[in-house]
Every structure is written in structure tokens, then in C-alpha cells.
Amino acid sequence: MTLADSRIHAHETQQSSREIGDAWGRMVARRRLYTGIGLILLLIAFVSSVRFADESNAGHFFDRLPHLFDFLSWLIPKDWHDVWRALFDLASPNDKGGEEFNFAKGRVYVFGDYYIPEYFELMIITINVALVSTIIGFIFAVPLSFFAARNLTRNWPLRVFSKRVMEFLRAFPEIVIAGLFSAILSIGPVAAIIAVSLHTIGALGKLFYEVVENIDMKPDEGMKAVGANWLERVRFAAMPQVMPNFASYALLRLEINVRASTIIGAVGGGGIGEELKLSISRGFGAKTVALVLLLFVTIVAVDQFSAWLRRRLVGEHAFLLQH
């Protein structure tokens, strides 16, 4: 190749690089333009919808927004020591015979003078609802997940039926199901357990069958080769692979169910949620702050315990960054 040819080739390469750069710049500018137009349209739609909602609201949301802090001021305790008295059912000097400061009347006596504070008992009920619901959901979600997995179940109608059942169970929020069963079975934790359990079956079942569909099929092929039936293949080839993930998802669901059980209490599911709703609606500041504090500490404790247990079951290596 001559010197002239080298110069021509270098010039063509430089020109080609410049064209590629120009094309890239135009593409980036076009994408930014489309993004900007999309954001403007989204903002216009959001502002229009908010204004329409405000005009449709009889109280006019934006007009009443400054009064939000008026409501919060009702829930500020006049005596902050009453928060601890409410939490541990201690008598309050502010008790004048009404319900706002009758903390000692809520004691749940165990034997003699020993008692469990009322809010602690309600919190235990809420945790029990979440725990029982998670166990029931896990028991039913495991077989459904194997029935729904494409790589283990060749029966197409059974797979479709299993998936549709799980979709139906998780289609309705727990609070809706709890309201229905509260009307049928009366108010109490039983309705809450049924509602949370049904939703847990659907939610865990979906997570579980996705885990099952991603297992290594070589152990399953080995079980087939020695004449194992379907149950034996699931028990000895699939279960050892999926159980760590199943346990991790179940513990995560337990954390979610503690929150769900609290919310369900507002519609008659019992537990701490019902008492929190009553306390807020009546403007009992000390009781409300005590309940919120207990709920916050409990959820943090459940989250930390669940995270610790997941690490023990799955293994510390699963939480380390891979280099």
C-alpha cells in the first residue's frame, strides 16, 4: 500500500467515524426530545386529573389541605408520660373516668397480679394471624407451584388450572376478602387468617413455581432413568434445589403479612389494627402514639429476625457481592 493510499484510507476512516458520531448525536437528541415531550404530556395529564379530582371532591382537597395539621395536632399527647403509661397499662393521673386515659383497665391478667399489657396482647394476636396465615399459605402453595411448573408437569390442563387458581386468590386485596368473611363469620381473627392465607397462597405460589421452572433438570433426568415416579422426582430432585428459596420467600411473606394483618384489623380482623383505628378516630393522642410506637418496633424486630433467619437458611454467600 502506497503513502497516498494510506492517506486516503485514513481520511475515509476519519470521515466514517465522524458520520457515526453525528448519527449517534442525532439519535440521542431525538430520544431526549421524545422523552421531554412525554414528560410534558404526563405532567399535563397529571395536573388535569388532580384538578378534576379536586373539583369533584365536595370538600375541595387543596382548600382543606392546610387543615391536615389541625387533625395531627389532636393526636399530640398533652402529657408525653402518658405514652408509656398507655403502652404498659399504668394508671394515669389524668384519668377522670373517661376512655382516653383509662390505661389500667386494659390489663390482661395472667395469674395473680401479673398481667400482659393490652397492646402487647393485641400485637401478639396480630403476629399470630400473620404466622398462621404464612404457614397455611406455604403448605398449599408448595404443591400448587409444582403442578404449575412447565418443566415438571406435562399435563397442560392441570398447569393452567393451578395457575388460574393462584391468580384468582391473589387478585383481591386481603382487606376485601377480610371484609367479606367478617360479614359471614363475624368480627375476629378467624376472618383475618382466612383472608391473609388465601392471598398468601396465590402470591407464594407464583414465586414458587417460577423458582421451580429454573431448577437444574439433570437430577430429574437421573431420577427418570432409574424409574422414579413424579412424587419421587419432586421429593429427591426438585425439593433440595428449591427449598432455600422457598424458605426465603416464605419469610419475606411473613413480614408482609404482619403489615397486612394490622391493616385488616381496621375492618374487624381483630388485633392491634382495630384498636389503632378506634384510637385515631377518637383523637386519643397518647394511645395512638403508643400503638404506633409498638407497631414500629415490632415490624423492625420481625424484619431483622426474618433477615437473620434467611441468612441462616440460604447461606451467607448468597448475600455477598460477586466479583
Side-chain angles (χ1 to χ4, degrees):
M1 180 181 293
T2 63
L3 181 60
D5 293 337
S6 299
R7 289 176 177 174
I8 293 172
H9 180 70
H11 178 71
E12 291 177 350
T13 303
Q14 185 178 6
Q15 186 177 6
S16 177
S17 299
R18 190 181 300 112
E19 291 175 354
I20 293 173
D22 293 342
W24 172 258
R26 289 192 299 270
M27 185 178 67
V28 171
R30 190 184 306 112
R31 184 167 54 188
R32 288 175 179 171
L33 176 63
Y34 292 160
T35 302
I37 293 173
L39 290 175
I40 291 172
L41 293 175
L42 184 62
L43 180 62
I44 293 172
F46 174 74
V47 172
S48 300
S49 61
V50 168
R51 293 185 64 178
F52 175 78
D54 183 56
E55 292 173 359
S56 302
N57 190 333
H60 289 284
F61 175 77
F62 290 106
D63 293 340
R64 300 297 301 172
L65 191 59
H67 299 283
L68 171 66
F69 297 100
D70 295 343
F71 171 73
L72 294 178
S73 66
W74 302 342
L75 299 179
I76 297 177
K78 299 177 180 63
D79 182 358
W80 283 94
H81 293 291
D82 278 336
V83 174
W84 303 108
R85 296 176 186 131
L87 193 60
F88 295 102
D89 288 352
L90 303 176
S92 172
N94 300 312
D95 187 9
K96 300 296 189 293
E99 293 187 21
E100 184 174 2
F101 300 104
N102 62 345
F103 308 140
K105 293 182 180 179
R107 296 176 179 178
V108 180
Y109 286 94
V110 181
F111 58 90
D113 293 332
Y114 294 95
Y115 67 90
I116 300 174
E118 178 186 12
Y119 295 162
F120 283 78
E121 188 212 17
L122 294 175
M123 194 71 246
I124 292 172
I125 293 174
T126 298
I127 293 175
N128 283 340
V129 169
L131 185 60
V132 172
S133 301
T134 304
I135 293 173
I136 294 174
F138 182 87
I139 291 173
F140 285 94
V142 169
L144 280 175
S145 66
F146 287 109
F147 293 148
R150 185 185 299 272
N151 54 342
L152 287 180
T153 302
R154 302 301 179 188
N155 190 326
W156 178 79
L158 179 59
R159 286 204 318 269
V160 172
F161 175 77
S162 301
K163 290 181 179 180
R164 297 298 85 81
V165 168
M166 291 185 287
E167 290 169 0
F168 178 78
L169 292 178
R170 66 173 181 270
F172 302 98
E174 296 98 325
I175 194 168
V176 175
I177 305 174
L180 173 64
F181 280 98
S182 294
I184 299 174
L185 302 174
S186 76
I187 295 174
V190 175
I193 290 174
I194 295 174
V196 179
S197 298
L198 291 177
H199 196 276
T200 300
I201 293 171
L204 283 183
K206 175 177 173 55
L207 295 172
F208 286 177
Y209 90 74
E210 290 178 350
V211 172
V212 173
E213 289 185 339
N214 288 294
I215 64 172
D216 183 4
M217 294 303 293
K218 291 180 181 178
D220 184 72
E221 294 172 0
M223 294 296 297
K224 281 184 185 178
V226 297
N229 59 35
W230 187 83
L231 288 176
E232 291 170 339
R233 288 161 49 205
V234 169
R235 169 65 182 86
F236 296 104
M239 288 292 285
Q241 298 186 63
V242 301
M243 277 309 295
N245 284 328
F246 277 16
S248 181
Y249 282 133
L251 290 171
L252 176 62
R253 188 68 200 183
L254 174 62
E255 300 173 15
I256 297 172
N257 286 347
V258 171
R259 300 177 182 87
S261 301
T262 303
I263 297 171
I264 286 175
V267 296
I272 200 168
E274 184 175 2
E275 187 65 26
L276 181 60
K277 176 191 173 185
L278 293 173
S279 180
I280 292 175
S281 64
R282 295 172 180 175
F284 295 166
K287 289 186 175 182
T288 300
V289 174
L291 287 164
V292 170
L293 180 62
L294 178 60
L295 185 60
F296 174 75
V297 172
T298 302
I299 288 178
V300 170
V302 170
D303 287 350
Q304 293 300 314
F305 173 75
S306 178
W308 172 82
L309 192 55
R310 282 204 305 273
R311 288 175 182 270
R312 297 283 295 178
L313 292 173
V314 179
E316 191 72 27
H317 63 279
F319 296 87
L320 300 176
L321 293 176
Q322 299 297 325
H323 300 286

